[in-house]
């Protein structure tokens, strides 16, 4: 029983549950609200936020899990989103190397920049697996708008990822 | 590194067509579907408010335009229905396949692709309705796309604009003449014009047939409830000339293009506004003569490569609500009983 409780209260169980809700928002509300014709990639934003808050390792695992769930609702090859999200989660974890004591706004800037990189990496990965036609100037426009939107939403996602992935202190 | 390898293994499995990944997607879809429904219901007021704020003026002007268009179309629809019926009767008489003879399933669009790099929509019918991967999807205007993933009670439709979409099509240059169906009992003022009215009418060449009882330029069909008993069929010299090519999507920002059009002198110059319809054939995923669009631009190329055509689609892919899935599979795809 105790083991079950430990599993349910673990950060990874919380991650899956929060990611399910985020995926629900991604496929419904945020799929329709497209400022400047671009969808806000909530799942990518969450992976990057986790990386900036908890470092590369947690960021990469979060990216893999969240990306795999996202892959399940996409028509693109399975594993592509998990690979890209895992990479950007890992990259976002290098924040402490550049900023000694990150503030909320410096995290937001990093999240915006890394999200834009992730949004560019996706069509690059599509091209690598043989799906052509997405890597063009419009992809740069999408990445720029994504940077703007994720930067604006980052102050909400930093505490969300902090709460989701915090490790319970065992006594 | 281990995580990256895991993703690459998953990718490889999926690209090799492993059923494991499609099973995972199917199970996840079953689990996720109720969550998505709840979120959709909860967030509907927010999305409605967003649409109200951002699209109010557009919707008002669109509504006004649509009212005008409906008024214009009502008359044309009656004429078109008569022409379609005549066409189907003729095709049936000659034992040719028609779209009316193919079973279909009507489905509602329940979601778009949740990605900036994929153009698919989700519909609320799946394998339990007989839908299979590859089946063509239409709306009232014409071809929309094809089924790309099927689950028990839902399916994903890849739109024509997707860069992965390709279809064998026919380009139909309009004939430079005007033909008409004549309905007995009606005066000349109600003649139905079928061909484009902008082209100049040419004199029909005199053709003498040696077949007893056959007069080129007209044929008689069995009586129908609409009372139409005769149809003017143009002689071969003025029939629309067709040429085949491959239509490819170019992404949502660009018009689809047609390649591999051969430069046949008989076909002549491709006209702007020429119709694009599906070519059909034993290996094509779509039956013949589904309307796709019209030629909006011809880009000539040197050599034997043939021109590239930009296609203005007849369907508005940004505003899809109800779709019709044709339960059609080419002969090569049909399983043995």
């Amino acid at each position: 029983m105790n083991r079950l409780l430990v599993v349910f209260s673990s950060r990874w169980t919380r991650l899956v549950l929060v990611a399910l809700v985020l995926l629900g928002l991604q496929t419904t509300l945020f799929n329709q609200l497209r400022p400047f014709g671009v969808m806000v990639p909530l799942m990518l934003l969450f992976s990057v936020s986790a990386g900036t808050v908890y470092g590369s390792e947690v960021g990469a695992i979060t990216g893999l899990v969240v990306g795999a769930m996202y892959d399940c609702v996409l028509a693109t090859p399975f594993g592509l989103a998990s690979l890209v999200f895992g990479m950007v989660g890992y990259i976002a974890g290098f924040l402490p190397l550049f900023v000694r004591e990150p503030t909320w706004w410096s995290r937001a800037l990093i999240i915006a920049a890394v999200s834009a990189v992730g949004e560019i990496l996706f069509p690059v990965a599509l091209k690598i697996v043989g799906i052509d036609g997405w890597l063009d100037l419009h992809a740069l426009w999408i990445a720029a708008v994504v940077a703007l939107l994720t930067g604006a939403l980052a102050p909400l996602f930093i505490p969300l990822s902090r709460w989701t992935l915090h490790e319970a202190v065992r006594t | 590194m281990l995580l990256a390898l895991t993703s690459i293994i998953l990718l490889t499995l999926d690209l090799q067509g492993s059923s494991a990944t499609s099973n995972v997607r199917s199970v996840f879809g079953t689990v996720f579907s109720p969550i998505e429904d709840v979120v959709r219901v909860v967030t509907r007021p927010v999305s409605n408010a967003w649409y109200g704020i951002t699209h109010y003026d557009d919707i008002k002007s669109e509504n006004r335009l649509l009212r005008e268009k409906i008024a214009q179309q009502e008359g044309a629809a009656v004429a078109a229905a008569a022409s379609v019926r005549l066409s189907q009767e003729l095709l049936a008489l000659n034992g040719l396949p028609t779209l009316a003879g193919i079973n279909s399933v009507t489905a509602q669009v329940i979601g778009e692709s949740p990605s900036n790099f994929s153009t698919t929509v989700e519909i609320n019918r799946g394998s339990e309705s007989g839908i299979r991967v590859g089946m063509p999807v239409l709306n009232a205007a014409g071809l929309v796309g094809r089924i790309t993933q099927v689950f028990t009670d839902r399916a994903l439709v890849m739109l024509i604009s997707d860069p992965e979409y390709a279809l064998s099509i026919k380009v139909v240059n309009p004939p430079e003449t005007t033909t008409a169906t004549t309905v007995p009992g009606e005066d000349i003022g109600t003649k139905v014009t079928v061909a484009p009215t902008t082209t100049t009418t040419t004199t029909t060449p005199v053709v003498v047939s040696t077949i007893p009882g056959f007069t080129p330029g007209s044929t008689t069909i069995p009586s129908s409830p609409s009372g139409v008993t005769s149809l003017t069929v143009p002689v071969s010299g003025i029939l629309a000339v067709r040429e085949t090519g491959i239509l490819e999507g170019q992404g949502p920002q660009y018009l689809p293009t047609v390649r591999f059009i051969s430069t046949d002198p008989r076909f002549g110059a491709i006209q702007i506004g020429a119709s694009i319809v599906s070519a059909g054939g034993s290996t094509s995923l779509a039956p013949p003569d589904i309307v796709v669009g019209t030629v909006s631009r011809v880009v000539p190329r040197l050599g034997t490569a043939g021109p590239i055509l930009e296609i203005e689609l007849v369907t508005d892919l940004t505003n899809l609500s109800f779709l019709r899935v044709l339960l059609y599979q080419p002969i090569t795809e049909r399983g043995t009983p």
Side-chain angles (χ1 to χ4, degrees), chain B residues 258-261 263 298-309:
Chain B
V258 170
R259 292 196 298 152
F260 306 125
I261 295 285
T263 49
V298 181
V299 183
R301 290 194 295 178
L302 292 173
T304 56
I308 289 180
L309 314 180

Side-chain angles (χ1 to χ4, degrees), chain B residues 17-332:
Chain B
S18 165
S19 60
T21 52
S22 51
N23 288 341
V24 168
R25 276 182 162 140
S26 181
V27 170
F28 185 85
T30 310
V31 173
F32 179 61
S33 189
I35 298 169
E36 190 180 27
D37 290 342
V38 169
V39 175
R40 181 174 284 123
V41 170
V42 171
T43 59
R44 187 167 293 150
V46 182
S47 57
N48 287 345
W50 171 264
Y51 272 118
I53 293 164
T54 58
H55 291 94
Y56 181 74
D57 289 338
D58 292 345
I59 288 170
K60 269 181 75 175
S61 57
E62 192 179 17
N63 197 22
R64 196 170 55 246
L65 269 174
L66 286 173
R67 281 176 195 278
E68 284 173 21
K69 273 193 176 175
I70 286 171
Q72 289 170 5
Q73 296 279 323
E74 272 173 355
V78 176
S83 302
V84 168
R85 187 182 147 65
L86 286 169
S87 163
Q88 286 173 353
E89 282 176 357
L90 269 176
L91 290 166
L93 271 175
N94 291 287
L96 297 169
T98 65
L99 287 181
I102 300 170
N103 290 334
S104 64
V105 171
T106 303
Q108 190 178 6
V109 174
I110 54 171
E112 290 176 37
S113 169
S115 166
N116 288 315
F117 300 104
S118 176
T119 48
T120 56
V121 292
E122 190 176 347
I123 55 173
N124 64 348
R125 302 277 178 173
S127 56
E128 64 186 9
S129 303
I131 293 173
R132 302 282 179 273
V133 170
M135 286 179 170
V137 182
L138 294 74
N139 71 356
L143 190 68
V144 167
R146 68 157 183 261
I147 300 290
T148 186
Q149 274 181 34
V150 183
F151 304 98
T152 313
D153 56 353
R154 64 196 177 91
L156 292 183
V157 180
M158 179 192 285
L159 302 181
I160 303 180
S161 57
D162 196 286
E164 280 191 90
Y165 189 91
L167 179 72
S168 173
I169 54 90
K170 290 183 285 196
V171 185
V172 186
N173 256 351
E176 293 189 359
T177 183
T178 307
T179 57
T181 53
T182 310
V183 182
E186 289 186 5
D187 58 33
I188 296 168
T190 58
K191 265 194 171 182
V192 181
T193 302
V194 176
T197 52
T198 50
T199 52
T200 51
T201 306
T202 56
T203 311
T204 306
V206 178
V207 180
V208 180
S209 171
T210 55
I211 304 169
F214 174 70
T215 311
S218 70
T219 188
T220 304
I221 59 171
S223 61
S224 64
S226 58
V228 180
T229 54
S230 68
L231 172 72
T232 305
V233 178
V235 292
S236 61
I238 52 172
L239 272 174
V241 187
R242 291 150 189 246
E243 192 55 72
T244 56
I246 300 292
L247 179 135
E248 293 171 328
Q250 301 293 323
Q253 304 300 317
Y254 308 102
L255 294 174
T257 58
V258 170
R259 292 196 298 152
F260 306 125
I261 295 285
S262 61
T263 49
D264 183 358
R266 182 174 164 264
F267 188 60
I270 295 165
Q271 297 167 31
I272 302 294
S275 303
I276 304 289
V277 295
S278 59
S282 61
T283 56
S284 177
L285 290 172
D289 298 325
I290 299 177
V291 180
V292 177
T294 55
V295 176
S296 65
R297 186 162 162 246
V298 181
V299 183
R301 290 194 295 178
L302 292 173
T304 56
I308 289 180
L309 314 180
E310 282 187 359
I311 307 305
E312 189 76 48
L313 297 173
V314 290
T315 53
D316 179 7
L317 298 179
T318 59
N319 189 20
L320 299 170
S321 51
F322 286 95
L323 301 177
R324 190 158 66 100
V325 183
L326 289 184
L327 302 182
Y328 171 86
Q329 285 188 298
I331 296 165
T332 50

Side-chain angles (χ1 to χ4, degrees), chain A residues 27 31 39 70 76 78 119, chain B residues 7 14 25 36 112 114 116:
Chain A
T27 56
N31 199 14
M39 191 195 63
Y70 194 35
T76 48
F78 196 93
E119 202 66 11
Chain B
S7 297
D14 195 32
R25 276 182 162 140
E36 190 180 27
E112 290 176 37
N116 288 315

